[in-house]
Amino acid sequence: MYKTLIDRLIKENNLTAAEYLMLIENRDEIRDYAAKKACELRNKIYGKKVFIRGLIELSSYCRNNCYYCGIRALNKNAERYRLTKEEILSCADEGYRLGFRTFVMQGGEDGYYTDELLSEIIREIKRRYPDTAVTLSLGERSYESYRALKEAGADRYLLRHETANKEHYAKLHPKEMSFENRQECLRQLKSLGYQTGAGFMVGSPYQTNEDLARELIYLRETQPEMVGIGPFIPHKDTPFADFEGGTAEMTVFLLSLIRLTLPRVLLPATTALGTIDPMGREKGIMAGANVLMPNLSPVSVRKKYELYDNKICTGEEAAQCIGCLSERVKNAGCEIVKDKGDFKNEIRR
Ligand code: 5AD
Ligand code: FES
């Protein structure tokens, strides 16, 4: 019964929300089959490859107050830092040496990083390393800003939509933040030619299984090139400190459903997943993920970019991440590649 649904998902990709919901609610019975099919599909399109993205966490300053996030403006206990242009470039130098061919500049919404400053940094990375991709993950900005940064050479942009349900969005964010503007930003990014990443947290407060089913419909309708999902993990200094976190088991199953719904998607096994389960990233890859985003930020600031509690790879072990990850990926039946890892468009005839 559930196998038939998975087979129809692969062949016709026309499941209803009710059918996705049925899979989600009965995932114990179908997770292994879904994972096997998801890996087959991934391998057919990309090979048994895992792409690595070097994450540079620019700034822990943020103007926003998302209820779930540890670097929200109102968190007085958050330690704030911002990286200078020189520091960012030396992260990229180190990353390139280690084999990274994509750099992700991520940060809170921090006015310090003007279009001019970011453009200079992007241009300099591209000048030094023309064979790399630059991804930005800097939240909501104006169309003009997105356009200027694209012009400067940025290739991709990650902006999780956080939830496809407007009422749910309002429970996760203060009224200053709008569901519509988030959606509008994603449309603008796509129209400017960015490879665009959407995504959401699994098990965020007030999320239902119906919401999760609708996330899959949303992804099918909007066709992002990248999808970032990870479990919600409570942060002690936020309004959501006392909520339960999401589970690895649900996150991993959703990774399979996302791969089956968007076969070509670039899909990370996230650090949040590795944080709640020591085998989380391996499980993610074995369920159909094909991206890892290890941290390239200077070790001195890593603990300060704390979106959630107990984040891994922020201490002494940080220097060994690449070796550690190669081993993990091998155990998951894949291999890390030194490659930009662009989205593979369907070859049109
Ligand atoms: N737990 C898990 N993920 C979180 N994010 C922010 N706070 C948390 C948290 N407490 C995610 C959001 C954001 C991305 C950068 O990190 O989805 O878009
Ligand atoms: Fe950082 Fe394993 S990935 S120590």
Side-chain angles (χ1 to χ4, degrees), residues 12 40 42 67 124 141 169 187 240 252 337 349:
E12 298 170 43
E40 281 173 17
R42 173 199 63 200
Y67 299 142
E124 182 57 20
R141 300 176 73 96
Y169 189 91
R187 277 191 295 273
F240 287 166
V252 167
V337 290
R349 286 189 276 167

Side-chain angles (χ1 to χ4, degrees), residues 39 42-53 259 265-267 285 288-292 329 332-339 341 344:
C39 287
R42 173 199 63 200
N43 297 348
K44 202 169 88 188
I45 296 164
Y46 288 102
K48 294 183 172 186
K49 292 180 187 168
V50 170
F51 304 108
I52 49 172
R53 321 296 197 194
R259 169 66 59 203
V265 74
L266 291 160
L267 187 65
I285 291 165
N290 64 341
V291 171
L292 287 170
V329 168
C334 292
E335 67 166 331
I336 287 186
V337 290
K338 253 192 213 184
D339 192 310
K344 264 199 182 176

Side-chain angles (χ1 to χ4, degrees), residues 68-70 106 160 162 182 201 231-235 272 307-308:
Y68 45 84
C69 183
Q106 182 174 87
R160 290 189 179 178
E162 309 297 358
R182 198 110 187 142
M201 292 179 291
F232 161 67
I233 304 174
H235 184 291
L307 308 186
Y308 46 80

Side-chain angles (χ1 to χ4, degrees), residues 64 66-68 140 160-183:
N64 290 328
C66 306
Y67 299 142
Y68 45 84
E140 298 178 24
R160 290 189 179 178
H161 62 287
E162 309 297 358
T163 169
N165 172 343
K166 183 167 151 59
E167 286 71 47
H168 185 218
Y169 189 91
K171 293 181 180 164
L172 302 180
H173 303 94
K175 61 178 184 318
E176 296 75 37
M177 293 181 69
S178 105
F179 177 80
E180 282 79 15
N181 194 55
R182 198 110 187 142
Q183 297 291 322

